[in-house]
């Protein structure tokens, strides 16, 4: 937008504030089908309007990436972020911005010279704003998805205490390399935090194991031994046992048990629990 | 070696005595912490640096280490470069084999260090000294 | 610091490595320990490495060598307190501490040496659990039989290569 048109646009924004706000809010409202409270929408549009006015009165050519538009960019970015977090689509957010065009058209005097040129320029600028919300929206969604993926990873790998000195990781679902690594690190840290010399890795809920995942589990067991803790693997399904043998993965002297219950029993025995009970009875 | 993208924050340390190996470890650790490497990745990189610094001292007859922070646009990383003017390695394939030892370690120096880092470059030859560059990226 | 202190705990020598180990210091510790085992007639050595943020192949070799020397001198070696990040790195490095027994803490190490069941003391209803005072526990059972008695001896240790 050149300087002449910008001055014209600035005049329009200054003289028709109430009218433009009313029309813009109304147009934006139809695009959202009443899913956003009217007062909230009116507030968002008012904020956008004021940021826009602050940008347009500034001297010089009007573009969204100019330093003068920093406030406008911030308001647009925040609007997109809020909409993304509240489950609105990127289209709905962009429509709220595009609604300004119709509002401008409504207050323009069609007879006045240059009004067509002004409208085309404003239209172009508003398109720019709309595209910016699209980008900001997808950035927010991406961050959200990454965060959720991380939370899911945390949720899907709980380390539970089965007994004083015995912790277990019940693994459920497909194990990829990244998740196997998270499991490894969390299990080992839990051994230290709880002072547990025994760990059980239960893979009853794991549908398949490939070489890499098997290697991760083996490395976990060896690392735990270096730290002074013993691991038992339980719940190996028949198919997984066949895979392990077919892949030629050596489980060596690692203790494996059919069920979590068997593994706990084995661990308690290995830890001398029964032995001590007998000693108490003798007393 | 490829230190072009290291952004001018190279810190260099001589490796001429035992305590220099400890100094290299400490420098690499502090730079890895600053680059926000995870604890596991820090530990792997520092351990690799320790192996390579000792190689530089024992086999290379001393040399130097350069530590720099690198970026590939998306991730940060730490690059450590070791250089010596020692006798070099005649049979690199043999030296990179697990269990090969010239008598001072467990024979895991080079091959073990390579497994602990994301990038590993070695440039050596008989009488040509040895230059090793390793990089570990943040996840 | 030019020497790592060695504490005597009954028949057990306790070494707690609190500094970034220089190679010379590591060699010195190896010598000091052999002399102390003979001088005190110790039957076991516990090396606490919980303060070490890395163990490279040199330190790993030192631990294995100490264990071998101790065995010749009729003493057992238990390395305790290895950090998870250190353990993961050692596995990746391909280093197994040949002939070295390991335990989570000094307390667990003492229980292991005394043949005290590792879970029994920790059982939910057992008396004496939770006082966290491994040293006291060790003293009270100091008259236990041979150090490697008890079922733990049957458990697999780090694989040797």
């Amino acid at each position: 937008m050149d300087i002449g048109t910008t001055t014209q646009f600035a005049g329009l924004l200054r003289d028709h504030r109430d009218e433009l706000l009313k029309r813009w809010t109304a147009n934006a409202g139809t695009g959202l089908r009443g899913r956003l409270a009217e007062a909230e929408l009116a507030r968002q549009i008012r904020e956008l309007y004021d940021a826009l006015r602050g940008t347009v009165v500034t001297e010089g050519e009007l573009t969204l990436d100019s330093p003068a538009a920093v406030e406008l960019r911030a308001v647009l970015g925040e609007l997109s972020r809020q909409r993304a977090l509240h489950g609105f689509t990127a289209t709905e957010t962009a429509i709220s911005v595009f609604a300004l065009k119709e509002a401008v058209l409504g207050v323009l005097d069609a007879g006045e010279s240059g009004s067509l040129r002004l409208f085309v320029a404003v239209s172009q600028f508003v398109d720019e704003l709309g595209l910016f919300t699209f980008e900001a929206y997808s950035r927010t969604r991406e961050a959200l998805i990454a965060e959720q993926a991380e939370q899911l990873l945390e949720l899907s790998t709980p380390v539970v205490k089965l007994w004083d000195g015995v912790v277990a990781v019940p693994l459920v679902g497909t194990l990829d390399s990244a998740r196997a690594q998270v499991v490894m690190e969390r299990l080992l840290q839990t051994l230290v935090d709880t002072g547990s010399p025994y760990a059980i890795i239960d893979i009853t809920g794991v549908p398949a194991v490939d070489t890499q995942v098997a290697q991760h589990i083996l490395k976990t067991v060896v690392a735990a031994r270096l730290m002074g803790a013993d691991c038992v693997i339980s719940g190996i399904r028949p198919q997984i046992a066949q895979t392990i043998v077919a892949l030629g993965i050596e489980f060596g002297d690692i203790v494996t048990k059919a069920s979590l219950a068997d593994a706990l029993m084995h661990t308690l025995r290995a830890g001398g629990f029964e032995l001590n009970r007998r000693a108490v009875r003798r007393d | 070696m490829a230190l072009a993208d290291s952004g001018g924050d190279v810190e260099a340390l001589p490796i001429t005595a035992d305590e220099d190996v400890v100094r290299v470890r400490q420098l690499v650790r502090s730079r890895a912490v600053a680059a926000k490497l995870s604890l596991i990745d820090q530990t792997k990189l520092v351990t690799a640096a320790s192996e390579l610094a000792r190689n530089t001292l024992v086999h290379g007859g001393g040399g130097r280490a350069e530590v720099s922070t690198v970026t590939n646009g998306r991730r940060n990383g730490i690059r450590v470069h070791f250089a010596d003017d020692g006798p070099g390695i005649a049979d690199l394939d043999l030296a990179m084999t697990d269990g090969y030892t010239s008598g001072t370690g467990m024979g895991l120096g080079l091959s073990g260090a390579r497994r602990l880092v994301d990038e590993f470059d070695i440039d050596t030859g008989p009488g040509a000294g040895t230059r090793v560059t390793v990089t570990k990226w943040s996840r | 610091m030019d020497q790592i202190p060695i504490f005597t705990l009954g028949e057990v020598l306790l070494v707690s490595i609190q500094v970034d180990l220089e190679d010379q210091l590591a060699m010195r510790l190896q010598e000091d320990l052999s002399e102390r085992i003979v001088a005190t007639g110790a039957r076991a050595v516990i090396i606490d490495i919980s303060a070490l943020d890395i163990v490279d192949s040199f330190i790993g070799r030192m631990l294995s060598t100490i264990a071998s020397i101790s065995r010749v001198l009729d003493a057992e070696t238990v390395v305790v307190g290895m950090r998870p990040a250190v353990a993961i790195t050692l596995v990746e490095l391909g280093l197994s501490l040949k002939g070295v027994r390991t335990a989570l803490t000094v307390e667990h190490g003492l229980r292991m040496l005394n043949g005290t069941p590792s879970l029994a003391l920790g059982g939910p209803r057992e008396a004496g659990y939770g006082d966290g005072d491994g040293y006291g526990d060790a003293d009270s059972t100091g008259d236990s039989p041979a150090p490697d008695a008890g079922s733990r001896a049957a458990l697999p240790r780090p694989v040797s290569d």
Side-chain angles (χ1 to χ4, degrees):
Chain A
M1 204 181 284
D2 60 46
I3 296 179
T5 322
T6 306
T7 315
Q8 230 179 327
F9 188 27
L12 198 74
L13 289 173
R14 188 185 57 232
D15 298 342
H16 299 276
R17 182 173 194 269
D18 292 345
E19 182 64 13
L20 276 171
L21 268 180
K22 208 181 89 193
R23 283 170 183 267
W24 190 359
T25 311
N27 291 338
T30 51
L32 295 173
R33 294 185 301 275
R35 284 202 290 136
L36 192 64
E38 216 167 300
E40 175 63 10
L41 178 64
R43 192 191 57 76
Q44 289 179 351
I45 298 292
R46 209 165 40 244
E47 247 181 55
L48 258 182
Y49 189 92
D50 292 338
L52 184 64
R53 228 183 118 180
T55 308
V56 175
V57 292
T58 318
E59 309 223 330
E61 214 165 307
L62 182 61
T63 55
L64 190 54
D65 40 16
S66 72
V70 59
E71 160 89 12
L72 181 58
R73 285 199 301 268
V75 172
L76 275 175
E78 181 58 23
L79 174 74
S80 310
R81 210 178 71 81
Q82 287 303 331
R83 293 281 180 93
L85 292 178
H86 289 100
F88 290 96
T89 66
T91 309
E92 284 166 334
T93 311
I95 284 176
S96 294
V97 175
F98 290 149
L100 172 62
K101 289 189 201 177
E102 235 183 296
V104 169
L105 194 62
V107 298
L108 268 184
D109 186 350
E112 201 180 310
S113 70
S115 59
L116 180 62
R117 220 161 55 94
L118 174 61
F119 180 70
V120 170
V122 167
S123 194
Q124 260 172 6
F125 186 62
V126 171
D127 286 347
E128 224 183 303
L129 303 189
L131 286 178
F132 184 86
T133 63
F134 246 100
E135 261 174 52
Y137 181 94
S138 50
R139 262 201 307 277
T140 307
R141 296 294 286 190
E142 269 167 35
L144 207 64
I145 290 167
E147 199 177 297
Q148 283 171 345
E150 205 164 289
Q151 282 170 356
L152 206 61
L153 205 59
E154 297 269 302
L155 274 180
S156 61
T157 53
V159 181
V160 294
K161 181 172 166 182
L162 285 188
W163 204 269
D164 273 310
V166 185
V167 294
V169 252
L171 294 175
V172 177
T174 313
L175 268 184
D176 58 18
S177 206
R179 200 177 143 211
Q181 200 160 345
V182 171
V183 174
M184 175 167 176
E185 292 174 15
R186 286 185 53 154
L187 175 61
L188 297 181
Q189 190 54 52
T190 308
L191 293 177
V192 175
D193 294 345
T194 61
S196 305
Y198 293 99
I200 300 170
I201 302 174
D202 183 73
I203 59 170
T204 309
V206 177
V209 163
D210 62 13
T211 318
Q212 234 188 346
V213 169
Q215 288 295 348
H216 271 297
I217 295 176
L218 290 182
K219 281 179 185 173
T220 309
V221 176
V222 178
R225 283 179 181 177
L226 283 171
M227 290 167 57
D230 282 309
C231 282
V232 176
I233 299 172
S234 67
I236 302 180
R237 297 168 173 218
Q239 308 95 293
I240 293 183
Q242 288 176 25
T243 315
I244 289 172
V245 173
L247 290 172
I249 297 161
E250 198 54 68
F251 262 58
D253 55 354
I254 293 169
V255 179
T256 52
K257 291 286 161 192
S259 69
L260 185 55
D262 291 344
L264 179 61
M265 188 61 82
H266 166 87
T267 302
L268 291 178
R269 233 177 243 143
F273 184 69
E274 290 194 333
L275 197 124
N276 187 264
R277 265 211 325 229
R278 252 179 271 127
V280 169
R281 245 182 268 135
R282 236 182 289 139
D283 288 345
Chain B
M1 287 309 303
L3 289 174
D5 55 341
S6 56
D9 56 353
V10 183
E11 280 179 83
L13 279 177
I15 304 175
T16 52
D18 223 27
E19 58 262 31
D20 292 332
V21 176
V22 175
R23 265 188 216 118
V24 169
R25 287 207 291 251
Q26 287 165 348
L27 175 62
V28 172
R29 168 76 67 178
S30 70
R31 294 292 292 261
V33 171
K36 296 200 166 56
L37 261 61
S38 74
L39 179 64
I40 307 273
D41 288 338
Q42 286 172 33
T43 308
K44 287 181 177 175
L45 177 65
V46 174
T47 307
S50 184
E51 300 292 337
L52 296 171
R54 189 172 293 105
N55 275 355
T56 301
L57 179 67
V58 176
H59 306 302
R64 53 192 262 117
E66 289 172 1
V67 188
S68 54
T69 308
V70 290
T71 176
N72 66 358
R74 229 160 37 82
R75 300 186 297 170
N76 284 331
I78 296 296
R79 179 164 294 165
V80 194
H81 176 68
F82 297 89
D84 66 58
D85 298 318
I89 302 168
D91 190 344
L92 189 56
D93 287 343
L94 179 64
M96 292 298 296
T97 313
D98 259 356
Y100 171 79
T101 174
S102 44
T104 45
M106 290 187 119
L108 295 162
L110 279 181
S111 57
R114 181 163 66 172
R115 278 196 295 273
L116 295 176
V117 295
D118 298 321
E119 287 163 29
F120 184 99
D121 286 305
I122 184 162
D123 171 25
T124 186
T130 303
R131 288 152 301 283
V132 180
T133 307
V134 295
T135 310
K136 188 94 187 160
W137 297 103
S138 64
R139 265 182 264 161
Chain C
M1 174 181 262
D2 56 351
Q3 199 174 3
I4 294 168
I6 300 169
F7 303 100
T8 310
L9 221 67
E11 293 177 286
V12 178
L13 297 181
L14 175 64
V15 184
S16 181
I17 303 175
Q18 296 289 337
V19 293
D20 204 341
L21 266 187
E22 267 172 40
D23 295 0
Q24 289 306 317
L25 203 55
M27 302 300 289
R28 173 96 190 255
L29 174 63
Q30 213 167 289
E31 288 164 22
D32 287 353
L33 259 179
S34 336
E35 276 166 31
R36 284 289 290 278
I37 292 170
V38 173
T40 60
R43 63 177 175 87
V45 177
I46 292 182
I47 305 174
D48 181 3
I49 60 165
S50 57
L52 286 189
D53 54 16
I54 70 147
V55 169
D56 62 6
S57 62
F58 189 88
I59 301 171
R61 191 174 71 125
M62 173 199 83
L63 294 174
S64 287
T65 308
I66 289 178
S68 304
I69 295 172
S70 305
R71 206 171 305 116
V72 173
L73 298 172
D74 197 22
E76 271 202 87
T77 304
V78 185
V79 170
V80 305
M82 186 185 292
R83 297 182 184 183
V86 172
I88 290 173
T89 303
L90 278 187
V91 173
E92 209 67 52
L93 190 63
L95 197 69
S96 57
L97 300 180
K98 218 187 282 181
V100 178
R101 300 180 77 188
T102 54
L104 282 177
T105 62
V106 174
E107 179 189 347
H108 285 98
L110 284 168
R111 281 190 200 174
M112 180 191 283
L113 289 168
N114 287 318
T116 311
S118 51
L119 284 182
L121 284 177
R125 273 179 280 275
E126 301 299 332
Y129 171 69
D131 58 358
D133 182 8
Y135 301 91
D137 293 341
D139 284 346
S140 62
T141 53
D143 54 350
S144 291
D148 56 350
S151 52
R152 262 196 83 88
L155 284 170
R157 301 314 322 158
V159 285
S160 47
D161 46 9

